[in-house]
Every structure is written in C-alpha cells, then in structure tokens.
Short mmCIF file of all heavy atoms in Angstrom, two decimals:
data_model
loop_
_atom_site.label_atom_id
_atom_site.label_comp_id
_atom_site.label_asym_id
_atom_site.label_seq_id
_atom_site.Cartn_x
_atom_site.Cartn_y
_atom_site.Cartn_z
N MET A 1 101.30 114.94 124.82
CA MET A 1 102.48 114.35 125.42
C MET A 1 103.69 114.84 124.62
O MET A 1 104.13 114.14 123.71
CB MET A 1 102.35 112.83 125.45
CG MET A 1 101.07 112.36 126.17
SD MET A 1 100.87 110.57 126.26
CE MET A 1 101.94 110.21 127.67
N PRO A 2 104.19 116.02 124.94
CA PRO A 2 105.24 116.64 124.13
C PRO A 2 106.53 115.83 124.06
O PRO A 2 107.29 115.97 123.10
CB PRO A 2 105.47 117.99 124.81
CG PRO A 2 104.81 117.91 126.12
CD PRO A 2 103.76 116.85 126.05
N ARG A 3 106.78 114.97 125.02
CA ARG A 3 108.02 114.17 124.97
C ARG A 3 107.74 112.75 124.50
O ARG A 3 108.60 111.88 124.61
CB ARG A 3 108.68 114.17 126.35
CG ARG A 3 109.12 115.58 126.77
CD ARG A 3 109.75 115.62 128.11
NE ARG A 3 110.95 114.81 128.13
CZ ARG A 3 111.58 114.45 129.23
NH1 ARG A 3 111.13 114.83 130.40
NH2 ARG A 3 112.66 113.71 129.18
N GLY A 4 106.54 112.53 123.99
CA GLY A 4 106.20 111.21 123.47
C GLY A 4 105.62 110.32 124.55
O GLY A 4 105.59 110.67 125.73
N LYS A 5 105.13 109.17 124.13
CA LYS A 5 104.52 108.21 125.05
C LYS A 5 105.42 107.00 125.15
O LYS A 5 105.70 106.34 124.15
CB LYS A 5 103.13 107.80 124.52
CG LYS A 5 102.36 106.89 125.46
CD LYS A 5 101.12 106.34 124.81
CE LYS A 5 101.40 105.08 124.03
NZ LYS A 5 102.05 104.00 124.79
N ALA A 6 105.87 106.71 126.34
CA ALA A 6 106.70 105.52 126.54
C ALA A 6 105.86 104.26 126.38
O ALA A 6 104.64 104.28 126.61
CB ALA A 6 107.32 105.55 127.94
N ALA A 7 106.49 103.20 125.96
CA ALA A 7 105.80 101.92 125.85
C ALA A 7 105.18 101.56 127.20
O ALA A 7 105.83 101.69 128.24
CB ALA A 7 106.76 100.83 125.40
N GLY A 8 103.94 101.14 127.19
CA GLY A 8 103.26 100.76 128.42
C GLY A 8 102.60 101.90 129.14
O GLY A 8 101.84 101.69 130.08
N GLN A 9 102.88 103.12 128.73
CA GLN A 9 102.29 104.30 129.37
C GLN A 9 100.95 104.62 128.72
O GLN A 9 100.83 104.59 127.49
CB GLN A 9 103.24 105.49 129.20
CG GLN A 9 102.79 106.76 129.87
CD GLN A 9 103.79 107.90 129.66
OE1 GLN A 9 104.61 107.84 128.77
NE2 GLN A 9 103.71 108.90 130.50
N ARG A 10 99.95 104.94 129.52
CA ARG A 10 98.64 105.29 128.97
C ARG A 10 98.71 106.67 128.34
O ARG A 10 99.22 107.62 128.94
CB ARG A 10 97.61 105.28 130.10
CG ARG A 10 96.18 105.52 129.61
CD ARG A 10 95.22 105.52 130.79
NE ARG A 10 93.88 105.84 130.38
CZ ARG A 10 92.97 104.96 129.99
NH1 ARG A 10 93.27 103.68 129.99
NH2 ARG A 10 91.77 105.34 129.61
N CYS A 11 98.17 106.80 127.14
CA CYS A 11 98.15 108.10 126.47
C CYS A 11 97.19 109.02 127.22
O CYS A 11 96.08 108.62 127.60
CB CYS A 11 97.68 107.92 125.02
SG CYS A 11 97.56 109.48 124.14
N VAL A 12 97.59 110.27 127.40
CA VAL A 12 96.74 111.22 128.12
C VAL A 12 95.48 111.57 127.32
O VAL A 12 94.52 112.11 127.88
CB VAL A 12 97.50 112.51 128.48
CG1 VAL A 12 98.65 112.22 129.43
CG2 VAL A 12 98.00 113.23 127.25
N GLN A 13 95.49 111.26 126.03
CA GLN A 13 94.33 111.56 125.18
C GLN A 13 93.33 110.41 125.14
O GLN A 13 92.27 110.54 124.51
CB GLN A 13 94.78 111.88 123.75
CG GLN A 13 95.75 113.03 123.66
CD GLN A 13 95.18 114.33 124.20
OE1 GLN A 13 93.96 114.50 124.30
NE2 GLN A 13 96.05 115.26 124.54
N LEU A 14 93.64 109.31 125.80
CA LEU A 14 92.74 108.16 125.82
C LEU A 14 91.67 108.38 126.88
O LEU A 14 91.96 108.56 128.06
CB LEU A 14 93.54 106.88 126.12
CG LEU A 14 92.80 105.56 125.97
CD1 LEU A 14 92.35 105.36 124.52
CD2 LEU A 14 93.72 104.41 126.39
N THR A 15 90.41 108.38 126.45
CA THR A 15 89.31 108.67 127.37
C THR A 15 88.96 107.44 128.21
O THR A 15 89.43 106.33 127.94
CB THR A 15 88.06 109.11 126.59
OG1 THR A 15 87.63 108.02 125.77
CG2 THR A 15 88.34 110.33 125.73
N ALA A 16 88.12 107.63 129.19
CA ALA A 16 87.74 106.53 130.09
C ALA A 16 87.05 105.40 129.34
O ALA A 16 87.15 104.23 129.75
CB ALA A 16 86.84 107.07 131.20
N ASP A 17 86.37 105.72 128.24
CA ASP A 17 85.73 104.67 127.46
C ASP A 17 86.59 104.23 126.28
O ASP A 17 86.10 103.70 125.28
CB ASP A 17 84.33 105.09 127.00
CG ASP A 17 84.35 106.33 126.11
OD1 ASP A 17 85.41 106.98 125.99
OD2 ASP A 17 83.30 106.65 125.53
N LEU A 18 87.91 104.44 126.40
CA LEU A 18 88.92 103.96 125.46
C LEU A 18 88.77 104.54 124.06
O LEU A 18 89.00 103.87 123.06
CB LEU A 18 88.93 102.42 125.41
CG LEU A 18 89.16 101.73 126.76
CD1 LEU A 18 89.12 100.22 126.60
CD2 LEU A 18 90.46 102.18 127.38
N ARG A 19 88.40 105.81 124.01
CA ARG A 19 88.36 106.50 122.72
C ARG A 19 89.44 107.57 122.70
O ARG A 19 89.89 108.03 123.75
CB ARG A 19 86.99 107.14 122.51
CG ARG A 19 85.86 106.11 122.41
CD ARG A 19 84.51 106.78 122.30
NE ARG A 19 83.44 105.80 122.39
CZ ARG A 19 82.93 105.19 121.32
NH1 ARG A 19 83.38 105.47 120.13
NH2 ARG A 19 81.98 104.30 121.47
N CYS A 20 89.83 107.97 121.49
CA CYS A 20 90.85 109.00 121.35
C CYS A 20 90.19 110.37 121.40
O CYS A 20 89.31 110.68 120.58
CB CYS A 20 91.59 108.83 120.02
SG CYS A 20 92.78 110.14 119.71
N ALA A 21 90.62 111.19 122.35
CA ALA A 21 90.05 112.53 122.49
C ALA A 21 90.44 113.44 121.33
O ALA A 21 89.83 114.50 121.16
CB ALA A 21 90.49 113.15 123.82
N LEU A 22 91.43 113.04 120.55
CA LEU A 22 91.89 113.86 119.42
C LEU A 22 91.41 113.33 118.08
O LEU A 22 91.77 113.88 117.04
CB LEU A 22 93.43 113.91 119.41
CG LEU A 22 94.09 114.52 120.64
CD1 LEU A 22 95.61 114.47 120.48
CD2 LEU A 22 93.61 115.95 120.86
N PHE A 23 90.57 112.29 118.10
CA PHE A 23 90.15 111.68 116.83
C PHE A 23 89.50 112.72 115.92
O PHE A 23 88.61 113.46 116.33
CB PHE A 23 89.16 110.54 117.10
CG PHE A 23 88.89 109.70 115.88
CD1 PHE A 23 89.72 108.65 115.55
CD2 PHE A 23 87.81 109.99 115.06
CE1 PHE A 23 89.49 107.88 114.42
CE2 PHE A 23 87.57 109.23 113.92
CZ PHE A 23 88.41 108.18 113.60
N GLY A 24 90.01 112.81 114.69
CA GLY A 24 89.46 113.75 113.71
C GLY A 24 90.02 115.15 113.82
O GLY A 24 89.68 116.01 113.01
N LEU A 25 90.86 115.40 114.81
CA LEU A 25 91.42 116.74 114.99
C LEU A 25 92.84 116.80 114.42
O LEU A 25 93.55 115.80 114.42
CB LEU A 25 91.45 117.11 116.48
CG LEU A 25 90.10 117.14 117.19
CD1 LEU A 25 90.30 117.43 118.68
CD2 LEU A 25 89.19 118.19 116.55
N PRO A 26 93.25 117.97 113.96
CA PRO A 26 94.60 118.09 113.39
C PRO A 26 95.71 117.86 114.42
O PRO A 26 96.85 117.56 114.06
CB PRO A 26 94.64 119.52 112.82
CG PRO A 26 93.52 120.24 113.47
CD PRO A 26 92.48 119.22 113.84
N GLU A 27 95.39 117.99 115.70
CA GLU A 27 96.39 117.79 116.75
C GLU A 27 96.74 116.32 116.97
O GLU A 27 97.72 115.99 117.63
CB GLU A 27 95.89 118.36 118.09
CG GLU A 27 95.74 119.87 118.09
CD GLU A 27 94.41 120.35 117.52
OE1 GLU A 27 93.60 119.50 117.08
OE2 GLU A 27 94.18 121.57 117.52
N ARG A 28 95.92 115.42 116.41
CA ARG A 28 96.20 114.00 116.60
C ARG A 28 97.52 113.65 115.92
O ARG A 28 97.75 114.01 114.78
CB ARG A 28 95.06 113.16 115.99
CG ARG A 28 95.12 111.70 116.37
CD ARG A 28 93.90 110.99 115.83
NE ARG A 28 93.82 109.63 116.32
CZ ARG A 28 93.37 108.62 115.59
NH1 ARG A 28 92.95 108.83 114.37
NH2 ARG A 28 93.31 107.42 116.09
N PRO A 29 98.41 112.94 116.63
CA PRO A 29 99.72 112.60 116.04
C PRO A 29 99.56 111.85 114.72
O PRO A 29 98.66 111.03 114.56
CB PRO A 29 100.36 111.71 117.11
CG PRO A 29 99.70 112.11 118.38
CD PRO A 29 98.28 112.46 118.01
N ARG A 30 100.45 112.15 113.80
CA ARG A 30 100.38 111.50 112.48
C ARG A 30 100.49 109.99 112.59
O ARG A 30 99.87 109.26 111.82
CB ARG A 30 101.48 112.05 111.57
CG ARG A 30 101.18 113.43 111.07
CD ARG A 30 102.07 113.88 109.95
NE ARG A 30 103.41 113.27 109.99
CZ ARG A 30 104.44 113.71 109.32
NH1 ARG A 30 104.32 114.76 108.55
NH2 ARG A 30 105.60 113.13 109.41
N CYS A 31 101.31 109.52 113.50
CA CYS A 31 101.47 108.07 113.63
C CYS A 31 100.15 107.42 114.04
O CYS A 31 99.86 106.28 113.66
CB CYS A 31 102.58 107.72 114.60
SG CYS A 31 102.31 108.29 116.28
N CYS A 32 99.33 108.13 114.80
CA CYS A 32 98.03 107.59 115.21
C CYS A 32 97.03 107.68 114.06
O CYS A 32 96.31 106.73 113.76
CB CYS A 32 97.49 108.34 116.41
SG CYS A 32 98.58 108.28 117.84
N ALA A 33 97.00 108.84 113.40
CA ALA A 33 96.05 109.04 112.31
C ALA A 33 96.32 108.10 111.15
O ALA A 33 95.41 107.69 110.44
CB ALA A 33 96.09 110.49 111.85
N GLY A 34 97.57 107.72 110.96
CA GLY A 34 97.93 106.86 109.84
C GLY A 34 97.81 105.38 110.13
O GLY A 34 97.96 104.56 109.23
N LEU A 35 97.54 105.04 111.35
CA LEU A 35 97.46 103.62 111.72
C LEU A 35 96.18 103.00 111.15
O LEU A 35 95.08 103.48 111.37
CB LEU A 35 97.46 103.48 113.24
CG LEU A 35 97.42 102.04 113.76
CD1 LEU A 35 98.73 101.34 113.42
CD2 LEU A 35 97.19 102.04 115.26
N MET A 36 96.33 101.94 110.38
CA MET A 36 95.20 101.25 109.79
C MET A 36 94.92 99.98 110.59
O MET A 36 95.75 99.07 110.60
CB MET A 36 95.49 100.88 108.34
CG MET A 36 95.70 102.07 107.43
SD MET A 36 94.23 102.83 106.75
CE MET A 36 93.50 103.74 108.02
N PRO A 37 93.81 99.92 111.30
CA PRO A 37 93.53 98.73 112.10
C PRO A 37 93.31 97.51 111.20
O PRO A 37 92.90 97.63 110.06
CB PRO A 37 92.25 99.09 112.85
CG PRO A 37 91.66 100.22 112.10
CD PRO A 37 92.76 100.92 111.38
N SER A 38 93.62 96.36 111.75
CA SER A 38 93.44 95.11 111.01
C SER A 38 92.88 94.06 111.96
O SER A 38 92.91 94.22 113.18
CB SER A 38 94.77 94.63 110.45
OG SER A 38 95.63 94.25 111.52
N THR A 39 92.39 92.98 111.40
CA THR A 39 91.86 91.89 112.22
C THR A 39 92.95 91.33 113.13
O THR A 39 92.70 91.03 114.30
CB THR A 39 91.28 90.79 111.33
OG1 THR A 39 90.25 91.36 110.51
CG2 THR A 39 90.69 89.66 112.15
N ALA A 40 94.17 91.22 112.60
CA ALA A 40 95.27 90.68 113.41
C ALA A 40 95.54 91.58 114.61
O ALA A 40 95.90 91.12 115.69
CB ALA A 40 96.52 90.54 112.56
N MET A 41 95.38 92.88 114.43
CA MET A 41 95.66 93.85 115.49
C MET A 41 94.53 93.88 116.52
O MET A 41 94.79 93.93 117.72
CB MET A 41 95.80 95.24 114.86
CG MET A 41 96.03 96.36 115.83
SD MET A 41 95.93 97.99 115.04
CE MET A 41 97.09 97.83 113.71
N CYS A 42 93.31 93.84 116.07
CA CYS A 42 92.17 94.04 116.96
C CYS A 42 91.65 92.74 117.58
O CYS A 42 91.05 92.77 118.66
CB CYS A 42 91.03 94.71 116.21
SG CYS A 42 91.47 96.32 115.53
N GLY A 43 91.84 91.62 116.90
CA GLY A 43 91.31 90.36 117.41
C GLY A 43 89.80 90.40 117.48
O GLY A 43 89.14 91.12 116.72
N ASP A 44 89.26 89.64 118.44
CA ASP A 44 87.80 89.55 118.58
C ASP A 44 87.27 90.31 119.79
O ASP A 44 86.07 90.27 120.07
CB ASP A 44 87.37 88.08 118.72
CG ASP A 44 87.66 87.30 117.44
OD1 ASP A 44 87.55 87.89 116.35
OD2 ASP A 44 87.99 86.11 117.55
N SER A 45 88.18 90.97 120.54
CA SER A 45 87.74 91.62 121.77
C SER A 45 88.74 92.71 122.16
O SER A 45 89.89 92.69 121.71
CB SER A 45 87.66 90.60 122.91
OG SER A 45 88.96 90.14 123.22
N PRO A 46 88.32 93.63 123.01
CA PRO A 46 89.27 94.63 123.52
C PRO A 46 90.45 93.98 124.23
O PRO A 46 91.58 94.46 124.13
CB PRO A 46 88.42 95.46 124.49
CG PRO A 46 87.03 95.35 123.94
CD PRO A 46 86.93 93.94 123.42
N ALA A 47 90.22 92.87 124.93
CA ALA A 47 91.31 92.19 125.64
C ALA A 47 92.36 91.68 124.66
O ALA A 47 93.57 91.81 124.91
CB ALA A 47 90.76 91.05 126.49
N GLN A 48 91.92 91.13 123.53
CA GLN A 48 92.87 90.65 122.54
C GLN A 48 93.64 91.81 121.91
O GLN A 48 94.84 91.71 121.67
CB GLN A 48 92.15 89.85 121.45
CG GLN A 48 91.70 88.47 121.91
CD GLN A 48 91.04 87.69 120.78
OE1 GLN A 48 90.83 88.20 119.68
NE2 GLN A 48 90.71 86.44 121.07
N ALA A 49 92.97 92.90 121.66
CA ALA A 49 93.63 94.07 121.09
C ALA A 49 94.68 94.63 122.06
O ALA A 49 95.79 94.97 121.64
CB ALA A 49 92.60 95.14 120.75
N LEU A 50 94.35 94.70 123.33
CA LEU A 50 95.31 95.21 124.30
C LEU A 50 96.49 94.26 124.47
O LEU A 50 97.63 94.70 124.64
CB LEU A 50 94.62 95.44 125.65
CG LEU A 50 93.70 96.66 125.68
CD1 LEU A 50 92.93 96.71 127.01
CD2 LEU A 50 94.48 97.94 125.48
N ALA A 51 96.25 92.95 124.40
CA ALA A 51 97.35 91.99 124.49
C ALA A 51 98.29 92.14 123.30
O ALA A 51 99.52 92.13 123.45
CB ALA A 51 96.79 90.56 124.56
N TRP A 52 97.74 92.33 122.11
CA TRP A 52 98.56 92.52 120.91
C TRP A 52 99.38 93.80 121.03
O TRP A 52 100.58 93.82 120.74
CB TRP A 52 97.64 92.56 119.69
CG TRP A 52 98.38 92.65 118.38
CD1 TRP A 52 98.80 91.60 117.60
CD2 TRP A 52 98.79 93.83 117.71
NE1 TRP A 52 99.43 92.07 116.49
CE2 TRP A 52 99.45 93.44 116.52
CE3 TRP A 52 98.66 95.19 118.00
CZ2 TRP A 52 99.97 94.36 115.63
CZ3 TRP A 52 99.19 96.11 117.11
CH2 TRP A 52 99.83 95.69 115.94
N LEU A 53 98.73 94.87 121.47
CA LEU A 53 99.42 96.15 121.60
C LEU A 53 100.52 96.08 122.65
O LEU A 53 101.62 96.61 122.45
CB LEU A 53 98.41 97.24 121.97
CG LEU A 53 98.96 98.66 122.09
CD1 LEU A 53 99.60 99.10 120.78
CD2 LEU A 53 97.85 99.61 122.48
N THR A 54 100.25 95.42 123.75
CA THR A 54 101.26 95.27 124.80
C THR A 54 102.47 94.51 124.27
O THR A 54 103.63 94.90 124.51
CB THR A 54 100.66 94.54 126.01
OG1 THR A 54 99.58 95.33 126.51
CG2 THR A 54 101.69 94.33 127.10
N GLN A 55 102.22 93.43 123.54
CA GLN A 55 103.31 92.65 122.96
C GLN A 55 104.13 93.50 122.00
O GLN A 55 105.36 93.48 122.02
CB GLN A 55 102.72 91.42 122.24
CG GLN A 55 103.74 90.54 121.58
CD GLN A 55 104.49 89.67 122.57
OE1 GLN A 55 104.23 89.71 123.76
NE2 GLN A 55 105.41 88.89 122.07
N LEU A 56 103.46 94.27 121.16
CA LEU A 56 104.16 95.13 120.20
C LEU A 56 105.01 96.18 120.91
O LEU A 56 106.15 96.44 120.53
CB LEU A 56 103.13 95.80 119.29
CG LEU A 56 103.67 96.53 118.08
CD1 LEU A 56 104.36 95.57 117.13
CD2 LEU A 56 102.53 97.25 117.37
N GLU A 57 104.48 96.76 121.96
CA GLU A 57 105.23 97.78 122.69
C GLU A 57 106.47 97.17 123.34
O GLU A 57 107.54 97.74 123.35
CB GLU A 57 104.35 98.46 123.73
CG GLU A 57 103.34 99.40 123.10
CD GLU A 57 102.75 100.39 124.08
OE1 GLU A 57 102.52 100.02 125.25
OE2 GLU A 57 102.51 101.53 123.68
N LEU A 58 106.31 95.96 123.90
CA LEU A 58 107.45 95.30 124.53
C LEU A 58 108.52 94.96 123.50
O LEU A 58 109.72 95.11 123.75
CB LEU A 58 106.99 94.03 125.25
CG LEU A 58 106.16 94.26 126.51
CD1 LEU A 58 105.58 92.94 127.03
CD2 LEU A 58 106.99 94.93 127.60
N LEU A 59 108.11 94.51 122.33
CA LEU A 59 109.05 94.11 121.30
C LEU A 59 109.78 95.29 120.68
O LEU A 59 110.89 95.14 120.15
CB LEU A 59 108.33 93.32 120.21
CG LEU A 59 107.83 91.94 120.60
CD1 LEU A 59 106.96 91.33 119.50
CD2 LEU A 59 108.98 91.01 120.93
N THR A 60 109.17 96.47 120.70
CA THR A 60 109.77 97.62 120.02
C THR A 60 110.34 98.66 120.97
O THR A 60 110.91 99.65 120.52
CB THR A 60 108.72 98.31 119.11
OG1 THR A 60 107.62 98.75 119.92
CG2 THR A 60 108.23 97.37 118.04
N ALA A 61 110.20 98.47 122.27
CA ALA A 61 110.68 99.45 123.24
C ALA A 61 112.21 99.43 123.33
O ALA A 61 112.80 98.35 123.38
CB ALA A 61 110.09 99.17 124.61
N PRO A 62 112.84 100.60 123.34
CA PRO A 62 114.27 100.64 123.62
C PRO A 62 114.52 100.06 125.01
O PRO A 62 113.66 100.17 125.90
CB PRO A 62 114.61 102.13 123.57
CG PRO A 62 113.48 102.75 122.80
CD PRO A 62 112.27 101.91 123.08
N SER A 63 115.63 99.45 125.19
CA SER A 63 115.95 98.81 126.46
C SER A 63 115.76 99.75 127.64
O SER A 63 116.25 100.88 127.63
CB SER A 63 117.40 98.31 126.44
OG SER A 63 117.73 97.71 127.64
N GLY A 64 115.01 99.30 128.65
CA GLY A 64 114.85 100.06 129.88
C GLY A 64 113.84 101.18 129.80
O GLY A 64 113.76 102.00 130.72
N THR A 65 113.03 101.23 128.74
CA THR A 65 112.09 102.36 128.62
C THR A 65 110.65 101.98 128.82
O THR A 65 109.78 102.84 128.75
CB THR A 65 112.21 103.02 127.23
OG1 THR A 65 111.87 102.05 126.23
CG2 THR A 65 113.60 103.56 126.98
N VAL A 66 110.35 100.74 129.08
CA VAL A 66 108.95 100.32 129.23
C VAL A 66 108.46 100.76 130.60
O VAL A 66 109.03 100.40 131.63
CB VAL A 66 108.80 98.80 129.06
CG1 VAL A 66 107.36 98.38 129.30
CG2 VAL A 66 109.27 98.39 127.68
N ALA A 67 107.39 101.56 130.60
CA ALA A 67 106.79 102.02 131.85
C ALA A 67 105.93 100.90 132.44
O ALA A 67 105.46 100.01 131.73
CB ALA A 67 105.93 103.25 131.58
N ALA A 68 105.73 100.95 133.74
CA ALA A 68 104.84 99.99 134.38
C ALA A 68 103.44 100.20 133.82
O ALA A 68 103.03 101.33 133.57
CB ALA A 68 104.84 100.20 135.89
N PRO A 69 102.70 99.11 133.57
CA PRO A 69 101.35 99.26 133.05
C PRO A 69 100.51 100.18 133.93
O PRO A 69 100.62 100.15 135.15
CB PRO A 69 100.79 97.84 133.05
CG PRO A 69 101.99 96.96 133.04
CD PRO A 69 103.06 97.72 133.79
N SER A 70 99.69 101.01 133.28
CA SER A 70 98.80 101.89 134.03
C SER A 70 97.41 101.81 133.45
O SER A 70 97.23 101.48 132.29
CB SER A 70 99.31 103.33 133.94
OG SER A 70 99.32 103.76 132.60
N GLY A 71 96.43 102.14 134.27
CA GLY A 71 95.06 102.26 133.86
C GLY A 71 94.58 101.11 133.11
O GLY A 71 93.85 100.94 132.29
S1 LIG B 1 95.17 107.42 118.91
FE1 LIG B 1 97.11 108.33 119.56
S2 LIG B 1 96.54 110.29 120.52
FE2 LIG B 1 94.69 109.07 120.39
S3 LIG B 1 94.57 108.01 122.35
FE3 LIG B 1 95.64 106.62 120.96
S4 LIG B 1 97.82 107.03 121.25
FE4 LIG B 1 96.66 108.76 122.14
#
C-alpha cells in the first residue's frame, strides 16, 4: 500500500485467515514489525482485538479520513 493504509481500511497484506502475508519479510512495514502485542491489545478473542484496533484507529485518524469498514 504505497500511499499508506487509511484507518478502517483492510490491509492488502492481510490474508483470509487474518495473518500477515509479509510476516518475517523485509518488506513488512517497520511500524508493523515493531508492534509488540499485549494483553490489553489482544483481549481474549479476535473480536476483542478487532474492537480495540477499531477504537484506536478512530481515535487517531485525521478528521475525515476513516474509511468505511471492509472485510
Ligand atoms: S502487520 Fe502490517 S503489513 Fe501485515 S497485515 Fe497487518 S497492517 Fe498489513
């Protein structure tokens, strides 16, 4: 995604089973490779993790840049 990923937009590298297609590769963005997961971030389920991520994207998105949820 050469122009970056807008908040709420699905990453093109996210596979159907919710894995990163670039995991372990040098092409993976530094911001992704440097992210350290935590219990607060992941919760107890994929649904909790996605809710946390959605909230974070909404809180940090520049005004008017949040894409409609996809996938
Ligand atoms: S870790 Fe980064 S590159 Fe990989 S799927 Fe998630 S947002 Fe995309």
